[in-house]
Amino acid sequence: MSSETTGASYASAGVDIEAGDRAVELMKEWVKRTRRPEVLGGLGGFAGLFDASALKRYERPLLASATDGVGTKVDIARRLGVYDTIGHDLVAMVMDDIVVCGAEPLFMTDYICVGKVHPERVAAIVKGIAEGCVLAGCALVGGETAEHPGLLGADDFDVAGAGTGVVEADRLLGPDRIREGDAVIAMASSGLHSNGYSLVRHVLLERAGLALETEVAELGRTLGEELLVPTKIYSLDCLALTRTTEVHAFSHITGGGLAANLARVIPDGLHATVDRSTWTPGAIFDLVGRTGDVERLELEKTLNMGVGMMAVVPAESVEAALTTLADRGVDAWVAGEITARDSRTSGAELTGDYAR
């Protein structure tokens, strides 16, 4: 009698447990590199452990948390077969939201959903996340890889993450600290970052029919290489600013664009004006706008236009802030100011024309 079974199994349903185990083994070394002294245990437990007694040095510690993904940028990574950079984007989207309130990033967890587990691909994604965590100063304490056959194609995947940080209550940054006369400092983005890719893909890949392998002279590289440039992680740069000079607020420029995100930290009664003439957006922004005949205001409410983070500081702190950022290799400049709000203004606005 044959010993073969004809019954259903997890494997026959499309889930490969052994491949998942192999992926975990491949990623362990990368996760280890993110370890902080407060982390207990290793990869493979049901929960990541972080020693909260480290927070005893705070008088009144406030925990800050955030969660995010990287949107349809994952489609570019899938098409190009490049999986070890998308993790940088994930860490940036989560931890740069956390640092906005002045919080130090502590730890992060990730969730990777795939149609089929390819161990090396999953490990490459986690490698990128781990490298991003090192750049943000946080630990990667755990995560989940889920295989969803039938819902996702064999090469499809998505990533998401959640993070936690801490800030002393009396060091909390935000609208309450901003005053009339403050300066707005812009920090350059590394490119598109991880927002607006639905528009970018629609314009460049679908309407214009450009191939990701196309060499674009004005970009100085292929279109695919440009679209996969990792999101810049500003966490440690922002924390350095809070240590070297007075900072009133940060604004992470993500979905919604520069004006809308800056407006989120501007209090009632005040107004932020940002002068476009203080910088020139990178070539990719012009390429999207020109190719798709996208109006400037539509671009500006979708893309970061070359600014990934903004800091609001007292006027007397500008020189120290710019020096700190320059010493850390961050391209930054004074882009605007905080004024009293009148009946014609609200939140934040961009004025003038971009420098050429």
Side-chain angles (χ1 to χ4, degrees), residues 16-321:
D16 189 339
I17 295 177
E18 291 183 358
D21 293 340
R22 170 66 176 158
V24 171
E25 287 301 315
L26 291 173
M27 68 179 70
K28 280 185 176 179
E29 182 60 33
W30 294 106
V31 174
K32 187 185 301 183
R33 300 186 186 192
T34 74
R35 193 176 183 89
R36 289 175 49 127
E38 306 93 337
V39 175
L40 303 177
L43 192 66
F46 284 95
L49 298 175
F50 190 92
D51 187 355
S53 67
L55 305 184
K56 288 182 179 179
R57 62 187 174 90
Y58 290 84
E59 291 291 328
R60 184 187 169 200
L62 302 180
L63 293 180
S65 66
T67 186
D68 211 336
V70 299
T72 60
K73 189 171 185 175
V74 297
D75 182 58
I76 307 299
R78 179 190 62 80
R79 293 192 192 195
L80 291 174
V82 177
Y83 302 96
D84 62 352
T85 63
I86 205 76
H88 285 235
D89 298 285
L90 181 63
V91 175
M93 298 308 291
V94 173
M95 287 306 178
D96 283 347
D97 273 357
I98 284 176
V99 81
V100 160
C101 67
E104 174 193 356
L106 295 177
F107 57 85
M108 182 168 173
T109 57
D110 63 56
Y111 177 79
I112 303 171
C113 182
V114 299
K116 178 178 176 57
V117 172
H118 300 279
E120 289 74 17
R121 292 183 189 177
V122 174
I125 295 171
V126 174
K127 171 180 178 287
I129 297 172
E131 290 174 337
C133 285
V134 171
L135 293 174
C138 65
L140 181 59
V141 297
E144 171 72 8
T145 299
E147 195 170 25
H148 288 177
L151 293 181
L152 297 175
D155 292 328
D156 292 338
F157 75 99
D158 200 5
V159 294
T164 299
V166 62
V167 60
E168 188 70 73
D170 63 6
R171 301 284 295 173
L172 183 68
L173 303 182
D176 291 345
R177 291 181 178 266
I178 295 179
R179 299 290 182 266
E180 183 177 355
D182 283 354
V184 178
I185 293 177
M187 300 178 218
S189 68
S190 55
L192 293 170
H193 284 185
S194 299
N195 296 104
Y197 272 73
S198 293
L199 173 65
V200 172
R201 289 164 54 248
H202 174 67
V203 168
L204 300 182
L205 305 183
E206 297 171 11
R207 287 185 55 177
L210 297 177
L212 293 173
E213 297 76 18
T214 303
E215 290 280 349
V216 182
E218 61 199 278
L219 300 178
R221 52 187 157 199
T222 69
L223 178 61
E225 289 171 336
E226 177 71 27
L227 298 187
L228 269 195
V229 171
T231 304
K232 182 170 177 56
I233 297 173
Y234 300 93
S235 303
L236 296 184
D237 302 316
C238 290
L239 291 178
L241 273 188
T242 66
R243 291 192 299 268
T244 59
T245 192
E246 184 177 356
V247 178
H248 288 166
F250 290 113
S251 177
H252 187 197
I253 311 305
T254 58
L258 195 157
N261 280 287
L262 183 56
R264 294 167 67 179
V265 299
I266 305 301
D268 291 341
L270 294 179
H271 178 72
T273 301
V274 175
D275 184 357
R276 297 185 184 95
S277 70
T278 59
W279 82 96
T280 303
I284 184 61
F285 302 99
D286 181 65
L287 179 65
V288 174
R290 188 179 69 252
T291 304
D293 194 24
V294 184
E295 294 183 359
R296 185 171 71 179
L297 292 180
E298 181 67 22
L299 275 182
E300 291 177 342
K301 73 178 185 181
T302 307
L303 307 178
N304 66 59
M305 302 306 292
V307 177
M309 181 73 75
M310 304 199 90
V312 181
V313 305
E316 60 270 22
S317 296
V318 167
E319 184 175 351

